Amino acid sequence: MADKRDYYEVLGVSKGASDEEIKKAYKSIAKKYHPDLNPGDKEAEDKFKEAGEAYSVLSDKDKKSRYDQFGHAGVDPSYGGGAGGFGGGFGGFEDFDLGDIFGSVFGGGFGGRGSRRSGPAPGADIERTVEISFTEAAFGVEKEISINKYATCQTCGGNGAKKGTSPETCSKCGGTGQVKTTQRTPFGMFSSTAVCSDCRGTGKIVKEPCSDCNGTGKARVTKRLKVKIPKGIDNGQTITLRGEGEAGEIGAPSGDLYLTVKVTPHKFFARRGYDVYCDMPVTFSEAAMGATLRVPTLDGDVEYKMPEGTQSETIFKFRGKGVPYLQAKGRGDQFVKIKLQTPEKLSAKQKELFKELAELEKDHKRKFSEKIKNMFN
């Protein structure tokens, strides 16, 4: 056992490494040397098994404690009672599936009992953008889109076999789509599971391929879809259409379609969450004397009685006139900001009236100036 490498060295971590650091290190090494990614590479297979052995010890609190205290003797059954007699050795390590460890770390992704890559590869996901108007986003709309993708072959029904024939059960894996190998080592029996190379995980062999799809079970098509975009959706949000992505390999599910919504900006309204904002231009006389305004909303114009003496930048609210909530009842509010318009070109009559107004305001300005002076005195 003198040539056996230190487990911390195998994973490239320090002795004080945290559980998360150990897991991350093993994940990186296992990805790099996994047999599925290095078929026929004996050196990569040995490194993968070595990393699996190290992780099985360092990820277990009791085994790690014994290893830190006694080294390999603390966890190797071949040492017997050399360090106080541990008997149980690796606690079942003498016959385990490397895929179990790998699957527990990655949650599936490669061959092995602990993973879910036991069959043909599923279809790829598709990402697209759909453009809608401001009001369409507020109240929902149905849009028709075209997607160019691989879909299930209509001639063979997706099994890849020539019409009138059927795929046969793979003799190498017996229809399971997996091939398990067991290897005897000084530490016991090591098992690993990989996707069957003959049927590529489908469990079936196509002897006479379909002429339209060449045995792949899928063909390139342009598909038109009607998509219901819900009320209240906002710019940048995504709708997921399950199974509308690329077709998978024979026996595997299709991918998904991710449709990102792009909302065209409105000329009058702006949106923040579910609330709507807008500016309302008014004249001097309207602001001073008050007026009944016709204010645009998402539901059409509504009347608002603006009180006399309203100042510019004043904000008033229409409750429940905003954007409907996404997948819920109710709506946001609409906020209207008063914007005082200063006339740029005055007629002779307007100038005369403004001069009269200015004369009337002189006394008011004098009183205001005195008030300011008194504040500082």
Side-chain angles (χ1 to χ4, degrees):
M1 302 303 295
D3 59 346
K4 197 174 185 66
R5 285 210 297 162
D6 177 78
Y7 287 149
Y8 291 103
E9 180 186 340
V10 171
L11 297 183
V13 297
S14 65
K15 193 170 183 179
S18 65
D19 292 343
E20 188 59 35
E21 289 172 329
I22 291 171
K23 183 177 181 179
K24 185 176 180 181
Y26 170 67
K27 181 177 179 180
S28 176
I29 295 171
K31 264 189 175 181
K32 183 177 180 180
Y33 295 112
H34 195 279
D36 281 2
L37 301 179
N38 302 274
D41 189 334
K42 186 66 171 62
E43 183 179 355
E45 182 181 350
D46 290 342
K47 287 183 177 180
F48 177 74
K49 290 178 178 178
E50 183 183 42
E53 179 186 328
Y55 182 72
S56 71
V57 172
L58 298 184
S59 63
D60 185 294
K61 187 176 294 186
D62 293 335
K63 294 175 187 175
K64 182 175 181 292
S65 177
R66 298 201 302 266
Y67 180 75
D68 289 344
Q69 187 173 5
F70 301 107
H72 293 294
V75 291
D76 191 337
S78 65
Y79 275 77
F86 297 105
F90 285 87
F93 182 71
E94 59 273 6
D95 187 7
F96 76 98
D97 191 330
L98 287 171
D100 288 340
I101 298 177
F102 196 76
S104 69
V105 175
F106 293 90
F110 289 97
R113 276 186 320 215
S115 71
R116 287 292 177 266
R117 189 177 178 267
S118 58
D125 295 330
I126 298 175
E127 295 181 6
R128 292 290 185 274
T129 300
V130 60
E131 189 167 351
I132 61 176
S133 70
F134 190 94
T135 52
E136 286 174 338
F139 297 114
V141 67
E142 184 175 83
K143 288 286 186 179
E144 189 174 89
I145 61 172
S146 293
I147 301 293
N148 188 258
K149 65 173 186 175
Y150 280 105
T152 300
C153 175
Q154 297 300 306
T155 303
C156 64
N159 65 16
K162 181 180 177 181
K163 199 169 184 178
T165 67
S166 299
E168 299 177 5
T169 301
C170 176
S171 57
K172 183 174 182 179
C173 66
T176 65
Q178 296 181 343
V179 177
K180 185 174 182 178
T181 58
T182 303
Q183 182 180 2
R184 185 180 296 277
T185 74
F187 305 103
M189 302 298 291
F190 286 81
S191 298
S192 62
T193 306
V195 174
C196 177
S197 58
D198 286 6
C199 66
R200 294 184 301 175
T202 66
K204 300 287 184 180
I205 297 292
V206 176
K207 293 290 183 69
E208 296 182 69
C210 170
S211 58
D212 285 355
C213 66
N214 296 318
T216 63
K218 52 188 177 181
R220 201 76 182 170
V221 299
T222 298
K223 186 173 181 180
R224 301 188 72 82
L225 294 172
K226 286 187 176 180
V227 182
K228 288 186 177 180
I229 298 174
K231 63 180 176 63
I233 199 163
D234 206 352
N235 185 59
Q237 291 184 319
T238 300
I239 299 170
T240 302
L241 301 176
R242 300 295 181 194
E244 291 295 349
E246 302 278 9
E249 294 182 3
I250 298 173
S254 298
D256 300 324
L257 171 61
Y258 293 95
L259 204 59
T260 300
V261 174
K262 181 181 179 182
V263 180
T264 305
H266 199 277
K267 292 180 180 179
F268 185 71
F269 299 118
R271 177 177 174 178
R272 298 176 198 165
Y274 293 104
D275 293 329
V276 171
Y277 293 77
C278 66
D279 293 338
M280 190 68 191
V282 299
T283 63
F284 283 150
S285 58
E286 287 176 327
M289 297 185 295
T292 298
L293 307 177
R294 291 194 64 80
V295 182
T297 73
L298 293 175
D299 302 305
D301 291 354
V302 296
E303 288 189 350
Y304 174 72
K305 291 186 177 181
M306 181 177 64
E308 62 180 48
T310 297
Q311 302 297 308
S312 186
E313 302 296 311
T314 297
I315 296 174
F316 58 88
K317 178 171 71 174
F318 289 143
R319 191 176 299 278
K321 288 294 184 181
V323 175
Y325 296 137
L326 182 65
Q327 297 179 341
K329 293 181 179 180
R331 296 174 62 168
D333 302 319
Q334 178 172 331
F335 295 87
V336 182
K337 181 186 287 188
I338 295 298
K339 289 288 187 180
L340 200 60
Q341 283 190 316
T342 302
E344 296 179 358
K345 295 181 179 179
L346 299 175
S347 66
K349 180 65 175 177
Q350 287 174 320
K351 288 181 179 179
E352 183 181 341
L353 292 173
F354 271 114
K355 284 179 181 178
E356 291 181 20
L357 180 62
E359 287 297 322
L360 294 172
E361 289 176 338
K362 280 184 178 180
D363 186 55
H364 173 74
K365 290 179 67 175
R366 180 181 58 78
K367 290 179 180 180
F368 180 75
S369 297
E370 290 176 356
K371 185 177 180 179
I372 294 296
K373 287 181 181 178
N374 291 333
M375 287 175 63
F376 287 97
N377 291 333

